[in-house]
């Protein structure tokens, strides 16, 4: 199946119409009886929008491209349920900022993808409204969570582009388990207006917000395309994506770690990482082994856990018992952790996205490791807010996808994206 950028180009050059592409996609969604990734569609609107796109000159880089978004992001006229029966009847009356920008770029939002109830699981996607989403590579296995519907829809050819959210790896883990690309942008880069549970007002805050919304796609180039049209402050400000540090793979300096006792990788992940690093070495890129100087990965993973607790306290969860001095110390520690991830000697950092490929539904112990071990490899970029993406580097001998994580410098998202694009060849 084509990427979103390829579809847009074919529509622009008259090789295919938006209606043809949209009709074909809607038919695939309607015939899906196994994956359960796209849980709501609006065919009439989608086809009207496709006809309008075909009747007008190109309106943007996603002109005429049908896509879906995670069922936690408001799309006017569609339900926003967060997988929670309490919100089953809620229909958004206004687009989220990110949806407005996607439409402005020419995209057609055809429907919503499944989420874990209240986005409360990073390892699976089971909605109390829409049921369980399965991994297209093996229906008996999880697609990850909570953006499992987003990643599975891409992998099952049920959408051309997706937008999800990532607090505890909820973009990166599903992308890795389903064999697609997923980007957690630099925190705060993509506005979150319209990404709130129904009835919760949008309240901009200068307090740290670990959660980010970002694109999932079939290629690194599509990640860039989606980010270019959705990122930046809300009006009246303007924004441009910072150019990548390099445009040739051999010019990159790459920090590399492939294993750690806190979340030891399975042999399948280890083999895929080793093969990827061998390919990288053959390209002429400079490989710098080990964590950045001063980074204690265990300490930072624990700090991330503390920050997640504070995040939920800030957003209506269990109140924290920390004192003001404790909170200040926690925030100072977070800023110190970010400072330790200096990118003067490296351009990007490469490590596993997860220690395991997708695992069977319902497992709580995975290859001898606790369920929470999935969080270790994604914790560091989440703590410091740096851009991080998952790219496919598999499959395993059993045909399961494997993901590698690329962490980039602060507000240099395109450096990470370009590196992944070049590494994929």
């Amino acid at each position: 199946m084509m990427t979103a950028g390829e579809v847009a180009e074919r529509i622009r050059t008259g090789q295919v119409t938006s209606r043809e592409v949209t009709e074909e996609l809607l038919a695939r969604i309607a015939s899906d009886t196994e994956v359960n990734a796209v849980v709501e569609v609006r065919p009439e609107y989608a086809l009207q929008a496709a006809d309008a796109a075909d009747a007008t000159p190109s309106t943007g880089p996603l002109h005429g491209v049908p896509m879906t978004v995670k069922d936690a992001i408001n799309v006017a006229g569609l339900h926003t349920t967060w997988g929670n029966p309490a919100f089953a009847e809620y229909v958004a009356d206004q687009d989220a900022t990110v949806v407005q920008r996607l439409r402005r770029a020419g995209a057609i939002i055809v429907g919503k993808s499944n989420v874990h109830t209240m986005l409360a699981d990073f390892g699976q996607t089971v909605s109390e409204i829409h049921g369980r989403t399965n991994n297209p590579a093996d229906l008996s296995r999880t697609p990850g969570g909570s953006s499992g519907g987003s990643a599975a829809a891409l992998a099952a050819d049920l959408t051309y582009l997706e937008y999800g959210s990532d607090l505890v790896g909820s973009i990166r883990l599903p992308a890795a388990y389903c064999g697609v690309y997923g980007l957690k942008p630099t925190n705060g880069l993509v506005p979150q207006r319209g990404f709130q549970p129904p009835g919760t007002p949008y309240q901009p805050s200068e307090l740290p917000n670990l959660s980010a919304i970002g694109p999932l796609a079939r290629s690194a180039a599509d990640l860039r395309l989606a980010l270019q049209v959705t990122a930046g402050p809300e009006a009246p400000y303007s924004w441009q994506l910072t150019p990548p540090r390099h445009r040739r793979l051999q010019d990159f300096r790459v920090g590399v770690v492939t294993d750690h006792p806190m979340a030891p990788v399975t042999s399948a992940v280890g083999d895929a990482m080793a093969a990827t690093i061998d390919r990288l070495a053959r390209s002429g890129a400079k490989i710098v082994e080990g964590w950045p100087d001063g980074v204690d990965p265990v300490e930072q993973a624990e700090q991330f856990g503390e920050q997640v607790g504070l995040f939920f306290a800030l957003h209506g969860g269990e109140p924290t018992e920390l004192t003001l001095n404790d909170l200040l110390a926690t925030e100072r520690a977070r800023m110190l952790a970010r400072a330790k991830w200096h990118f003067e000697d490296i351009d990007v950092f490469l490590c596993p996205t997860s220690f395991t490929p997708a695992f069977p539904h319902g497992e709580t112990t995975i290859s001898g490791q606790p369920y929470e071990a999935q969080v270790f490899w994604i914790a560091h970029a989440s703590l410091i807010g740096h851009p991080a993406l998952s790219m496919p580097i598999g499959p395993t001998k059993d045909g399961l996808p494997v993901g590698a994580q690329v962490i980039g410098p602060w507000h240099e998202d395109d450096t990470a994206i370009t590196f992944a694009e070049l590494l994929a060849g």
Side-chain angles (χ1 to χ4, degrees):
M1 191 170 176
M2 294 179 289
T3 67
E6 290 169 343
V7 171
E9 179 62 20
R10 286 173 59 85
I11 293 171
R12 276 195 296 270
T13 55
Q15 300 176 63
V16 67
T17 67
S18 177
R19 185 180 182 92
E20 290 170 340
V21 173
T22 303
E23 284 181 332
E24 182 182 4
L25 185 64
L26 289 170
R28 282 198 295 271
I29 293 171
S31 65
D32 172 49
T33 60
E34 298 181 324
V35 176
N36 190 36
V38 179
V39 294
E40 182 180 12
V41 293
R42 190 164 48 164
E44 299 83 1
Y45 161 79
L47 292 174
Q48 289 173 3
D51 288 341
D54 290 332
T56 60
S58 176
T59 56
L62 292 172
H63 180 78
V65 177
M67 63 173 290
T68 52
V69 299
K70 184 175 182 174
D71 183 21
I73 299 173
N74 286 344
V75 176
L78 292 178
H79 291 85
T80 304
T81 74
W82 289 59
N84 187 338
F87 305 141
E89 302 304 319
Y90 178 82
V91 177
D93 59 5
Q94 187 174 5
D95 287 338
T97 297
V98 67
V99 172
Q100 294 174 6
R101 292 177 174 184
L102 288 165
R103 291 194 200 277
R104 194 178 306 139
I108 298 169
I109 312 299
V110 302
K112 291 290 199 73
S113 57
N114 203 18
V115 302
H116 193 85
T117 299
M118 292 306 293
L119 320 190
D121 199 315
F122 46 79
Q124 61 182 343
T125 294
V126 182
S127 163
E128 292 181 28
I129 296 176
H130 299 295
R132 186 182 74 189
T133 296
N134 300 314
N135 193 315
D138 181 341
L139 299 175
S140 71
R141 294 177 183 263
T142 180
S146 62
S147 306
S150 302
L154 283 161
D157 294 344
L158 303 178
T159 190
Y160 285 101
L161 188 65
E162 252 285 350
Y163 231 92
S165 65
D166 190 309
L167 171 62
V168 187
S170 285
I171 287 173
R172 289 163 288 164
L173 289 171
Y177 294 154
C178 291
V180 299
Y181 291 79
L183 171 69
K184 181 199 79 64
T186 298
N187 280 43
L189 186 58
V190 179
Q192 296 196 17
R193 186 187 300 273
F195 171 60
Q196 294 83 36
T200 304
Y202 174 64
Q203 296 177 324
S205 173
E206 294 301 320
L207 293 172
N209 191 346
L210 299 185
S211 182
I213 57 176
L216 296 93
R218 286 198 188 83
S219 71
D222 274 1
L223 294 181
R224 181 188 299 110
L225 180 60
L227 193 64
Q228 284 174 327
V229 302
T230 57
E234 299 205 53
Y237 302 100
S238 61
W239 172 88
Q240 285 187 325
L241 188 63
T242 302
R245 292 187 176 187
H246 307 292
R247 298 187 182 277
R248 301 189 309 166
L249 190 58
Q250 59 264 42
D251 294 335
F252 276 86
R253 302 163 299 168
V254 186
V256 170
V257 171
T258 61
D259 204 359
H260 193 278
M262 282 291 292
V265 300
T266 64
S267 59
V269 172
D271 290 346
M273 288 296 300
T276 299
I277 292 168
D278 286 346
R279 186 167 71 253
L280 186 60
R282 290 194 298 271
S283 77
K286 180 182 179 181
I287 295 175
V288 181
E289 296 187 359
W291 299 89
D293 289 344
V295 170
D296 181 334
V298 175
E299 178 184 60
Q300 291 196 359
E302 292 172 349
Q303 290 175 343
F304 175 61
E306 295 171 356
Q307 288 285 345
V308 171
L310 291 176
F311 174 88
F312 285 118
L314 176 65
H315 292 276
E318 289 294 324
T320 180
E321 296 182 359
L322 296 179
T323 67
L324 177 58
N325 284 338
D326 292 336
L327 291 171
L328 293 174
T330 300
E331 181 59 10
R332 283 194 294 268
R334 189 176 73 90
M335 290 295 93
L336 179 60
R338 180 185 293 172
K340 290 177 179 178
W341 278 85
H342 46 81
F343 282 78
E344 288 82 15
D345 299 324
I346 61 172
D347 300 305
V348 293
F349 186 83
L350 182 68
C351 65
T353 306
S354 175
F355 73 94
T356 179
F359 50 91
H361 292 295
E363 282 198 355
T364 56
T365 300
I366 308 158
S367 300
Q369 300 300 312
Y371 194 76
E372 292 74 19
Q374 296 174 81
V375 179
F376 175 80
W377 290 104
I378 60 88
H380 310 94
S382 292
L383 174 69
I384 62 178
H386 278 227
L389 65 84
S390 183
M391 63 176 293
I393 60 169
T396 69
K397 294 177 182 178
D398 297 328
L400 295 176
V402 176
Q405 183 177 204
V406 182
I407 302 174
W410 179 250
H411 278 289
E412 294 186 57
D413 298 61
D414 200 16
T415 291
I417 292 170
T418 298
F419 171 79
E421 184 177 28
L422 294 170
L423 181 57

